[in-house]
Amino acid sequence: PWGPPVRAVVVKATQSRNTSDSLSGSSTEKYGWSNERFRPQERPTCNVCRVLGIVVVNWNTREELRSCLRSLENRPTAEETRVVVVDNASRDGSADLVRTEFPDVLLLAERANHGYARGNNLGLARVEDADAVLLLNPDTEVPPGTLD
């Protein structure tokens, strides 16, 4: 029922330049870990994806959502990209924005605010056959080429 596993980015922890704890001694010495930055170790490409699903859960972020969806207009090189916006009963006209300016985006206009987790689950149900899925916040702008 869950389908094939979704590809994920593997991250490798790297030690930052500043490992000292400003209050008392090194966090590495104190706790056995350091201030870490994560960087992708492997960059999967959408060239191997037949279908890429993108789910955006929105609540009253109309202008941010517009910028987010515009940034997705330079879509990755997957054969098919499905963008789903789950609008959690926004009162700022977000659902109308998606209907009028982004007709190729699947809009799930909910009558109640179901919250972030359930909103994602509603969107994921619409892209369940995708080879990879991106859960994207509406205040995120995706630079061109990021999802290639």
Side-chain angles (χ1 to χ4, degrees), residues 3-110:
V6 176
R7 295 175 59 86
V9 175
V10 178
V11 293
K12 179 180 179 182
T14 59
Q15 187 172 340
S16 69
R17 292 181 184 173
N18 181 8
T19 59
S20 63
D21 184 9
S22 60
L23 296 176
S24 59
S26 165
S27 59
T28 303
E29 296 167 7
K30 194 171 184 179
Y31 303 110
W33 53 271
S34 66
N35 297 331
E36 297 173 344
R37 294 180 188 256
F38 294 93
R39 65 174 181 195
Q41 186 173 351
E42 172 193 341
R43 185 174 182 213
T45 63
C46 284
N47 298 357
V48 298
C49 299
R50 186 182 55 78
V51 179
L52 173 64
I54 301 174
V55 177
V56 182
V57 176
N58 178 68
W59 184 68
N60 291 327
T61 59
R62 183 178 194 267
E63 294 309 313
E64 292 88 349
L65 179 63
R66 174 185 278 135
S67 297
C68 175
L69 294 176
R70 280 191 181 149
S71 74
L72 292 173
E73 288 176 346
N74 297 324
R75 300 231 168 104
T77 57
E79 290 178 24
E80 182 180 350
T81 302
R82 296 183 197 153
V83 180
V84 178
V85 171
V86 180
D87 185 72
N88 274 329
S90 294
R91 296 181 181 171
D92 65 349
S94 296
D96 291 332
L97 166 88
V98 175
R99 281 187 197 102
T100 58
E101 293 186 28
F102 304 95
D104 57 332
V105 171
L106 175 61
L107 172 66
L108 303 178
E110 297 299 308

